[in-house]
Amino acid sequence: MKKIDRAKADQYFKEKNRYMAMYLVIWLASSFGVVLFAESLSTITLNGFPFHYFMGAQGSIVIFIILLYINAKVSDGIDKKYGIDESKNEQISYGKTLDH
């Protein structure tokens, strides 16, 4: 298996961690931020429910699922950018040999 350069690996993990931090901030804002401002958001309605209630009941879960999908797509792009090929890693894990 091809080894990755230390500097390139550091850049890779720095980029992955930066996106992960951004996802966590979005998730925190959608889950707990709405609760902090529930009284001022109660004038906004969504599907007949106050916005803060909707976000607590369904909205934050939907946002979490959307963030999972976005994370998968962005991570695949980052992997391709740094030359990490998941199909080759999968072949190696099954014990198959690779032709270079």
Side-chain angles (χ1 to χ4, degrees), residues 10-72:
D10 289 342
Q11 289 175 335
Y12 171 79
F13 285 110
K14 186 177 180 180
E15 189 169 350
K16 293 274 276 195
N17 288 337
R18 184 175 50 236
Y19 278 105
M20 190 60 63
M22 185 176 61
Y23 301 144
L24 286 172
V25 167
I26 293 169
W27 173 75
L28 270 167
S30 69
S31 297
F32 299 108
V34 174
V35 174
L36 292 174
F37 301 105
E39 194 169 319
S40 60
L41 293 173
S42 64
T43 57
I44 303 169
T45 59
L46 192 62
N47 287 341
F49 295 101
F51 183 70
H52 67 279
Y53 177 79
F54 179 81
M55 286 302 291
Q58 295 174 349
S60 60
I61 296 168
V62 170
I63 289 174
F64 179 72
I65 292 169
I66 291 168
L67 285 174
L68 287 175
Y69 177 77
I70 292 170
N71 179 45

